[in-house]
């Protein structure tokens, strides 16, 4: 083998001297003697066989010279332009043997590696039946120069033609080249739209991420029955990168990307838009982990179509995360862990879909280990101007709040959560209430008086909210608050003003609301240390409540009346009748000059259009109030 190497070097050196303008004329005949057949001896007659043999030698020598010049002097522009002048050079078995010898013996410089890769690619294009002839040579070259080989292949065959597919399969099938080549491929994938990489020959042209996507898709197609270990080990990284590529190729398409994709489509059949091809690659990747049935379920829920729309992309990502959780919690956990650094950096472009994925798989994480990082991400999004981000952040907060270890940390978000209780978004308010309830339920955190005051003020409007879920949760939170806050005189007026709404909702047709009202009323009675009220709640004697309340706290009768008046317009008939009775009892505790007494009379008078039972009760109550007002013994009625 060493002799072959030195012979090749001598041949190349002599060829160089022939082409050099400063070469001595005396050396030229020696070179001609190597490539031209010797002159016929006058005294010796040649046979036809000798002439044919010398002709073959001459052609082989010329082929070697052309091949070496192609490698050493980079005279391979025909591969980019489509020139077929040198097609015979790459269809010859001699060229393959020379490539073997060059690489096996290391007879090349680092800067010539890209040219050798292009030659291997072109040789495979010209020799369909011998596609594995240069496998060993390619692997040996890649072991020494993985970056040059992978990047040059992506540049030379971005559409991944037949020869390129063969080369990629060879590289990922070898235990020595699989890992470095896949890592380079993944790195190119992560840089959108292109990754600038300098190869040893000084080429600094961009390598498009879509070229790596096409190569990855082909690798996944080749590996239906087996999945390269490097792909499995990098599943989370690949999935997130491809999902981002779907999003960014949907959101914005630069002119250079469109031009690149158009050229790829000219070479082979590809989808018209890059985002559709990226979705195909996501499916091919997921087939390595999921059954086809799971992919069909996502399709039936329009998940793949939603991925292709900018305004619904994050919904589709969340749907995909939910389906993945049903298959593998460990896989989802690894994805969530890889998402945390991205979300912590605050990358705005794909932040919403990333947050949607994290929220869906958050229950797979250990809150003690990752809770602080997640909470930091959530706290930033709670203040976002985007309603969808706030909603997702609250969903994540509800998950975290179920762990006792996170209770004290979540308490630091009290101010942000108090603001969200006044949000117009019902879902946001509901999740805020749930987070508060979960944290207080553990009885680990003691709520300070100022915070409790703010919370009571924010809760009071929710007791009579039209959404029964908000009513129920707000009353449950009130009850938890009574257990978790310090007893203070400044809180008592606010607690008193909560009693009337609880009393009326105790009679609510919705059993969950009624039960929550009962519990809140009991919590208020214990907080106020009001034994009579606590007893009637425990014994479930609601008819005693109006007299008990109005007798106990005469100073707030006017406020209680104003709280009861809206229930005259309740859609529930029992609540309207209950309000009439409450107002009738309240009237006896009021003075003649109190304005609330006039409000009661006017409200009852306006109920003539109600059902007969309700309107008759209102008229009877009004008649009694007016009759008593005409006597000086009003206070004895």
């Amino acid at each position: 083998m060493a002799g072959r190497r030195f012979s090749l070097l001598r041949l190349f050196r002599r060829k160089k001297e022939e082409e050099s303008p400063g070469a001595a004329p005396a050396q030229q005949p020696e070179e001609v003697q190597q490539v031209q057949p010797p002159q016929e001896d006058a005294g010796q007659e040649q046979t036809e066989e000798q002439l044919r043999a010398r002709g073959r030698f001459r052609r082989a020598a010329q082929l070697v010279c052309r091949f070496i010049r192609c490698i050493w002097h980079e005279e391979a522009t025909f591969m980019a332009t489509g020139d077929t002048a040198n097609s015979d050079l790459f269809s010859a078995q001699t060229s393959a043997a020379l490539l073997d010898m060059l690489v096996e013996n290391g007879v090349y410089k680092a800067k010539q590696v890209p040219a050798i890769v292009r030659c291997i690619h072109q040789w495979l294009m010209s020799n369909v039946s011998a596609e594995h002839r240069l496998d060993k040579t390619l692997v040996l070259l890649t072991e020494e120069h993985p970056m040059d080989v992978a990047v040059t292949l992506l540049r030379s065959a971005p559409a991944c033609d037949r020869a390129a597919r063969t080369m990629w399969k060879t590289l990922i099938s070898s235990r020595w080249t699989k890992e470095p080549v896949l890592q380079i491929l993944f790195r190119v994938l992560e840089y959108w739209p292109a990754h600038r990489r300098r190869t040893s020959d000084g080429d600094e042209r961009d390598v498009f991420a879509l070229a790596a996507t096409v190569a990855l898709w082909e690798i996944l197609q080749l590996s239906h029955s087996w999945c390269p270990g490097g792909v499995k080990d990098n599943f989370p990284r690949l999935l997130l990168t491809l999902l981002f590529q779907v999003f960014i190729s949907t959101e914005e398409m630069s002119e250079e990307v469109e031009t690149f994709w158009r050229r790829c489509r000219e070479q082979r059949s590809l989808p018209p838009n890059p985002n559709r091809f990226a979705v195909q690659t996501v499916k091919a990747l997921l087939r390595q982990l999921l059954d086809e049935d799971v992919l069909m379920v996502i399709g039936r829920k329009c998940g793949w179509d939603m991925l292709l729309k900018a305004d619904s992309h994050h919904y589709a990502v969340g749907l995909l995360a939910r389906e993945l959780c049903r298959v593998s919690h460990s896989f989802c956990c690894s994805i969530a862990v890889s998402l945390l650094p991205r979300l912590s950096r605050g990358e705005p472009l794909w932040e919403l879909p990333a947050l949607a994925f994290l929220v869906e798989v958050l229950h797979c994480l250990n809150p003690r280990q990752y809770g602080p990082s997640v909470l930091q991400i959530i706290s930033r999004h709670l203040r976002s101007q985007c309603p969808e981000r706030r909603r997702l952040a609250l969903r994540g907060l509800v998950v975290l709040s179920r762990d006792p270890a996170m209770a004290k940390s979540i308490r630091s978000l009290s101010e942000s959560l108090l603001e969200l209780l006044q949000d117009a978004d019902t879902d946001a308010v509901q999740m805020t209430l749930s987070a508060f309830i979960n944290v207080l339920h553990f009885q680990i955190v003691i709520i300070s008086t100022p915070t409790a005051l703010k919370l009571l003020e924010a809760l009071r409007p929710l007791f009579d909210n039209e959404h029964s879920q908000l009513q129920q949760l707000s009353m449950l939170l009130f009850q938890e608050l009574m257990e978790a806050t310090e007893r203070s005189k400044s809180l008592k007026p606010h607690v008193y003003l909560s009693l009337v709404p609880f009393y009326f909702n105790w009679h609510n047709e919705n059993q969950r609301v009624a039960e929550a009202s009962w519990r809140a009323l009991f919590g208020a009675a214990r907080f106020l240390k009001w034994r009579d009220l606590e007893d009637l709640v425990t014994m479930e004697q609601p008819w005693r409540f109006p007299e008990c309340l109005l007798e106990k706290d005469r100073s707030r009768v006017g406020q209680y009346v104003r709280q009861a008046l809206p229930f005259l317009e309740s859609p529930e008939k029992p609540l309207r009748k209950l309000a009439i009775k409450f107002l009738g009892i309240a009237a006896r505790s009021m003075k003649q000059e109190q304005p609330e007494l006039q409000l009661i009379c006017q409200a009852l008078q306006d109920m003539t259009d109600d059902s007969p039972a309700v309107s008759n009760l209102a008229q009877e109550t009004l008649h009694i109030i007016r009759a008593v007002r005409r006597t000086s013994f009003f206070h004895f009625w």
Side-chain angles (χ1 to χ4, degrees):
M1 184 63 70
R4 289 173 60 193
R5 176 177 178 178
F6 291 130
S7 299
L8 180 63
L9 289 173
R10 284 196 297 270
L11 179 61
F12 172 62
R13 188 181 299 113
R14 289 170 182 169
K15 190 67 180 175
K16 288 279 288 182
E17 290 171 353
E18 176 187 340
E19 294 174 354
S20 175
Q27 294 176 336
Q28 293 179 2
E30 182 182 356
E31 179 65 25
V32 172
Q33 187 177 1
Q34 294 293 328
V35 298
Q36 299 291 338
Q39 300 294 325
E40 295 183 2
D41 293 336
Q44 182 179 4
E45 185 177 358
Q46 292 185 336
T47 65
E48 291 185 7
E49 182 62 29
Q50 289 174 325
L51 290 174
R52 284 196 297 270
R54 288 169 182 170
R56 287 194 297 270
F57 176 80
R58 181 178 67 250
R59 289 191 296 273
Q62 290 174 344
L63 180 65
V64 170
C65 292
R66 289 170 57 200
F67 186 85
I68 296 300
R69 186 165 55 248
C70 183
I71 297 293
W72 261 248
H73 293 274
E74 292 286 351
E75 295 175 2
T77 56
F78 64 90
M79 286 181 284
T81 61
D83 184 10
T84 58
N86 292 318
S87 60
D88 61 325
L89 183 64
F90 292 96
S91 61
Q93 289 298 323
T94 308
S95 301
L98 286 170
L99 283 169
D100 289 339
M101 186 170 60
L102 284 173
V103 175
E104 289 178 15
N105 293 278
V107 191
Y108 64 89
K109 297 179 181 179
K111 67 178 183 179
Q112 292 151 355
V113 171
I116 296 175
V117 174
R118 288 190 287 268
C119 286
I120 293 175
H121 176 259
Q122 187 63 24
W123 193 92
L124 291 173
M125 288 293 290
S126 302
N127 295 269
V128 179
S129 60
E131 61 179 9
H132 297 292
R133 169 66 179 80
L134 293 173
D135 284 1
K136 181 180 179 182
T137 301
L138 179 61
V139 169
L140 289 174
L141 188 66
T142 308
E143 286 181 28
E144 296 296 327
H145 309 276
M147 179 64 71
D148 281 347
V149 172
V151 171
T152 302
L153 186 53
L154 289 172
R155 284 176 179 156
S156 302
C160 207
D161 51 35
R162 179 191 56 79
R165 287 197 295 273
T166 301
M167 294 173 73
W168 285 119
K169 183 176 181 180
T170 299
L171 294 176
I172 66 168
S173 301
S174 168
R175 58 182 297 190
W176 309 112
T177 60
K178 173 181 61 179
E179 186 61 28
V181 166
L182 285 174
Q183 290 302 320
I184 295 167
L185 198 63
F186 300 160
R187 201 175 311 153
V188 175
L189 268 172
E190 292 174 335
Y191 286 86
W192 180 271
H195 178 49
R196 175 153 293 187
R197 188 73 190 185
R198 179 186 176 92
T199 47
S200 299
D201 59 351
D203 190 352
E204 294 184 346
R205 288 178 299 158
D206 288 339
V207 183
F208 282 88
L210 284 171
T213 306
V214 176
L216 177 63
W217 187 82
E218 291 292 350
I219 290 172
L220 294 172
Q221 297 306 304
L222 293 169
S223 56
H224 277 312
S225 57
W226 61 276
C227 183
V231 173
K232 286 185 176 180
D233 296 340
N234 291 271
F235 237 103
R237 175 185 178 186
L238 282 175
L239 180 61
L240 294 178
T241 300
L242 289 171
L243 288 174
F244 169 76
Q245 197 174 103
V246 174
F247 175 79
I248 192 64
S249 58
T250 302
E251 186 77 11
E252 57 181 38
M253 275 284 289
S254 62
E255 184 177 351
E256 60 177 346
V257 174
E258 289 183 353
T259 302
F260 169 81
W261 192 248
R262 184 168 57 252
R263 290 175 180 172
C264 289
R265 293 189 65 213
E266 291 172 355
Q267 299 178 35
R268 60 176 295 184
S269 176
L270 291 170
N273 299 316
N275 60 350
R276 292 192 176 275
F277 184 78
V279 170
Q280 288 184 13
T281 310
V282 170
K283 291 182 181 180
L285 180 66
L286 291 175
R287 284 191 182 96
Q288 307 294 333
L289 179 71
L290 308 177
D291 293 333
E292 190 67 30
D293 293 342
V294 179
L295 300 183
M296 292 177 65
V297 168
I298 298 174
R300 284 196 296 268
K301 294 179 179 179
C302 302
W304 306 122
D305 293 332
M306 287 193 296
L307 272 178
L308 297 170
K309 299 176 183 177
D311 57 346
S312 62
H313 179 85
H314 64 283
Y315 291 114
V317 171
L319 170 63
L320 179 60
R322 287 193 297 275
E323 296 301 327
L324 286 173
C325 279
R326 295 177 183 176
V327 177
S328 172
H329 275 235
S330 60
F331 176 61
C332 291
C333 180
S334 60
I335 294 179
V337 171
S338 62
L339 273 175
L340 292 179
R342 301 187 182 201
L343 286 167
S344 298
R345 291 193 298 267
E347 300 174 357
L349 199 55
W350 202 63
E351 202 166 28
L352 182 59
L355 188 62
F357 199 107
L358 177 65
V359 168
E360 294 293 346
V361 301
L362 195 54
H363 63 279
C364 300
L365 291 177
N366 182 350
R368 298 175 186 270
Q369 183 177 1
Y370 299 105
S373 300
V374 175
L375 193 61
Q376 184 180 6
I377 294 168
I378 286 175
S379 63
R380 180 162 50 85
H381 289 285
L382 286 176
R383 301 186 296 270
S384 173
Q385 297 299 315
C386 173
E388 195 60 39
R389 295 190 187 201
R390 291 199 303 271
R391 196 177 294 118
L392 287 171
L394 283 168
R395 284 184 59 195
L397 188 65
V398 170
V399 175
L400 288 181
S401 67
R402 294 172 185 150
D403 191 278
M406 297 302 300
K408 291 184 178 180
S409 301
I410 294 175
R411 183 179 60 178
S412 63
L413 303 178
S414 296
E415 291 298 325
S416 299
L417 295 176
L418 284 170
E419 293 179 8
L420 288 169
L421 284 177
Q422 304 173 26
D423 200 295
D425 185 355
T426 303
D427 291 337
V429 177
Q430 180 177 326
M431 288 185 284
T432 305
L433 292 169
S434 298
F436 265 127
I437 292 170
N438 292 342
V439 170
L440 296 182
H441 182 71
F442 297 118
Q443 297 183 355
I444 298 174
V445 177
I446 299 298
I447 302 297
S448 63
T449 300
T451 303
L453 282 172
K454 294 179 182 178
L455 192 52
L456 285 173
E457 291 176 358
L459 287 177
R460 198 181 306 147
L462 300 176
F463 297 151
D464 302 321
N465 194 279
E466 59 182 358
H467 296 281
S468 61
Q469 186 72 12
L470 293 186
Q471 284 183 289
Q472 177 191 358
L473 291 174
S474 62
M475 294 173 190
L476 292 176
L477 177 55
F478 178 92
Q479 187 234 344
E480 296 289 351
L481 182 62
M482 293 297 97
E483 298 289 336
T485 190
E486 303 170 348
R487 281 189 171 86
S488 171
K489 290 183 178 180
S490 59
L491 291 179
K492 285 188 176 181
H494 295 274
V495 176
Y496 273 114
L497 292 177
S498 303
L499 297 177
V500 171
F502 295 157
Y503 165 67
F504 281 101
N505 284 306
W506 191 4
H507 300 77
N508 199 295
E509 291 180 349
N510 187 312
Q511 291 301 312
R512 292 184 178 180
V513 174
E515 183 180 352
S517 302
W518 179 87
R519 294 175 61 181
L521 196 58
F522 182 78
R526 294 190 64 180
F527 181 85
L528 295 171
K529 296 183 178 180
W530 189 352
R531 188 57 182 269
D532 291 343
L533 180 60
E534 188 175 342
D535 288 343
L536 73 87
V537 173
T538 304
M539 299 172 65
E540 296 191 7
Q541 298 175 342
W543 60 88
R544 292 174 48 199
F545 175 82
E547 292 183 359
C548 184
L549 174 65
L550 298 172
E551 184 68 27
K552 177 75 173 179
D553 191 15
R554 291 177 177 272
S555 62
R556 296 188 181 88
V557 172
Q559 291 176 293
Y560 296 149
V561 167
R562 291 182 181 273
Q563 286 183 307
L565 285 171
F567 287 94
L568 292 174
E569 300 177 1
S570 171
E572 298 180 24
K573 181 178 176 180
L575 288 183
R576 295 198 301 273
K577 296 174 70 174
L578 192 67
I580 293 172
K581 294 177 181 179
F582 182 91
L583 293 172
I585 296 173
R588 84 166 100 167
S589 303
M590 302 178 69
K591 297 180 181 180
Q592 294 271 5
E593 63 273 10
Q594 280 188 260
E596 286 79 12
L597 190 58
Q598 298 297 326
L599 292 176
I600 293 174
C601 295
Q602 185 62 47
L604 295 176
Q605 187 175 356
D606 293 340
M607 296 190 70
T608 54
D609 295 334
D610 209 316
S611 66
V614 175
S615 60
N616 290 339
L617 180 61
Q619 293 304 313
E620 290 174 5
T621 305
L622 180 60
H623 178 74
I624 294 173
I625 293 174
R626 286 175 174 173
V628 174
R629 284 183 62 193
R630 287 194 290 268
T631 176
S632 57
F633 301 101
F634 176 79
H635 59 281
F636 292 110
W637 175 69

